[in-house]
Structures are given as structure tokens and as C-alpha cells.
Amino acid sequence: MQRVTAVAVVVGVGVGYGYFGAAMAGAQLTLAPALGLTVAEQGTLFAVPVLGMLLGVLVAGRVVARAGRRGTLLAASAVVGVVGGASPLVADLVWLDATRFVVGVAFGVSTVVVPIWVAEAAPAGARGRVAVLYQVSTVAGIVAAFLLAYALGGWRVVLGVTAPLAALAVVLLHGAPETIPGTAAPGAARGTVAELFGPRYRTLTGFVVVLGTLVQLTGISAVSNFSPLIFAGMGYRGELALLVLPAVVQVSGLLAALASAATVERLGRRATLLTGTAVMAAGHALLVLAFSGDGGRGGTVLGLAGLLVFTVGFNAGLGSLLWIYAAEGYTDRLRSAGATALLLPNLTANVLLAQFFLGALTAFGGAATFAVLLGVTALSWLYLFRVAPETRGRSLEEIHAYWQAGRRWPAY
């Protein structure tokens, strides 16, 4: 029962998060011309919710301390439902940016809480598998966003579906247990971000901060947000190609995440990470070749293959296991602060890519843009090879001791 409840929560919240992130990518083809948006204004539609997530990450610890894990997720899902449903009612850039900022705040809070809740609520032997299912459900939401954009057409309906998905999350959360009750006591002990850089935790925190930054700088959010425009740049035309092909790419990622969920406890975290990151680099290399050609059929096939390979690699490795390292490594009191340490650099890099990726793609071309992302991905693999530990089968106490001892496993 404990495992079933954990799965229900991560699926309910993850699908809504994935859908919200990709809904604008699908709606963009009709929204941008309808409102006459420039390249920079289109970038704000993706950057503003990430700025909201940054604020949500910063306040999440205080909210959790008062409302508890479950109460926080319930409140965040309710905000997403109400504000997300109101967002497409007014065809105005300022209104869209404002409502997307508020929804971003709610998702920023839930993004901190879900991995913590998984680490505390899921059985030890299933923690990795349940954490991977959060990525699976997120990708499922992305797939749904592209397919609905193709089937429904209008941008208002596509954006409005965020509301019923949030309502589903609220229903699922009502049956979830509270792992650590909230407290309104002003003096209640809870971890701070500053404490993470003390002698006991600085090794883990350094790993978490670098990992969170590298994940975004490999370009995953930019590839997801601007998939239709990337396909258009490779020579694809028509809504079928520009909306269904991104969904196909994400389905491949979904299958990869499912495979990772089934094998991660058997293969281990480290091997999964290294293999997935190497596959991501191969995908970027194919994209460089695709954009370096003359735009003929060979380039479009290479480009589709590159996006498929990159997305498979990310969802099988970094995307599935990013959160579990921070959730496992910190003690109960510091898990919220640890998630914040992971998310702040991650979201900062996400903002930069959301705002400037499309401009770089337009100004410098796909070959140069993806060559830079290839270099970052190669550096990420080297970093993971040197630093990422294998935590499969280890208790939380052993993992805590490993990081606090400067990356040495306890002798017992």
C-alpha cells in the first residue's frame, strides 16, 4: 500500500508538471502569430514560469515547515488548478506571463517537496524506482501536451487543460500519508541553505550544485520547449510534423524512463547515469551534423535521430536520477534545503536557456548552438565519472555517512 500511494502521488503531480512545461511549446505555433510576438517575447513565455519556480524553491522550506509535505503539495496543486485555468482566458502577453509566473511558483514548491516525500514515504528497496516514475509521469505529461496541441488546435484549450490535471493531483493527494507533520512553531529546527556549506555537508552540496547546473546546460529544457521550432529549422513543415514528431520524441523518452525504472535497482545509479549521459552526447553530435548539411532529407532524418537519441539518454539517466541523490544524501532536517541547493542553479540555468536559446538558434544556427551543448554534455560525463557514487542498496544512514566522511563509505 505504501508503494502504491507513493506511485499515485508522483504520477499525479508529475503529469501536471510535465504538461504545463510543454503546453506552451505546443500552443506557441498558434499563439505567437495570434499575438504578434517577437522572438524575445516568445522566450519570456518560457522564462517567466521558471523565474516563478525559483521563488517557489526559495519559499518551499518555510511552507513545508508549517503545512507539512502533503499539505504543501495539496496547496500547490490547488493554485495550479485555479491560476492555470484562468491563464488562457485573456489573450494578452502581460496576463499570460503573470499567470504563468504564479503557476511556476506553485510548481517550484512541489518540485522541492516531491523528491523528499518519495525518499521518506517509499520503501527502501523501491526508492530509486519510484523516483524514476516521477520522471516517467513528467514525460507522459509532455507527450500529452504535444498530442493535444495537434488534436485541439487552439492555444486557449491547450493551456487550459492544466486545470483538470491539477484537480486530479488534488484527488490523489487526499489519500496520501503525511511523512513529517508541519509545525507552526517559530523556533522549530529546520535546515538552512547556509548550513549545507558547512564541513559536514559541503562535499554533497558541491556535487548537488554542479549536477543541478549541468543538467540544464546540456539543453534538455530548451530542446523540449522549442522542439516544434527546432523541427522547423531542420526543414520539417506542417502541424503533423511540428507537433506529432515532438510527441514521438518524448514517447521515446518515456519508454527510456520506464526502462530505467525497471532496471535502475539492478544496474545501479552510477552505470545508469554514465550510460545515459554518453547517449545524450551522441544525440547532440547527430544534431550538429543535421544542421551542418544542406537541409535536405538526410539532414531531417539525422535531426530526428539526434533528438530521439538525446531525449532517450536524458530520460534514462540524468532526468530519472537527478533528484534522488539530493533526497538520499541529506538528513530529514536538511532535505528541503538540499532540494533548494539543487534547484536554484538548475532553474537559473533554465531561465537563461529559455530566454536566449531561440535567439541563439536564430542568430548562430543549429550547428553552432548544438556544438556548444555537445561540449557541455561531454564535460558533464567526465564530472559524473569522477564524482557520482553508487548508492544502490545502501541505507540512508550509510549514504549520509559517505558524504559526511568526504566520499568514503563507512567500514561497517
Side-chain angles (χ1 to χ4, degrees), residues 218 272-282 313-314 317-318 377-378 380-381 384:
T218 60
T272 303
L273 274 176
L274 292 175
T275 302
T277 307
V279 172
M280 289 168 65
F314 177 80
L318 277 171
T377 305
S380 300
W381 188 92
L384 291 170

Side-chain angles (χ1 to χ4, degrees), residues 6-7 9-18 53 73 107-115 118 127-141 254 257 261 315 319-320 323:
V7 169
V9 169
V10 299
V11 169
V13 178
V15 168
Y17 176 50
M53 289 185 70
L73 289 174
F107 274 124
V109 171
S110 64
T111 302
V112 171
V113 179
V114 168
V118 168
R127 272 199 318 267
R129 189 174 297 112
V130 175
V132 170
L133 284 176
Y134 183 54
Q135 178 66 12
V136 171
S137 59
T138 299
V139 177
L254 176 62
N315 285 286
S320 295
W323 308 107

Side-chain angles (χ1 to χ4, degrees), residues 64-81:
V64 169
R66 292 184 176 275
R69 319 295 202 214
R70 175 178 169 276
T72 298
L73 289 174
L74 274 169
S77 297
V79 169
V80 171

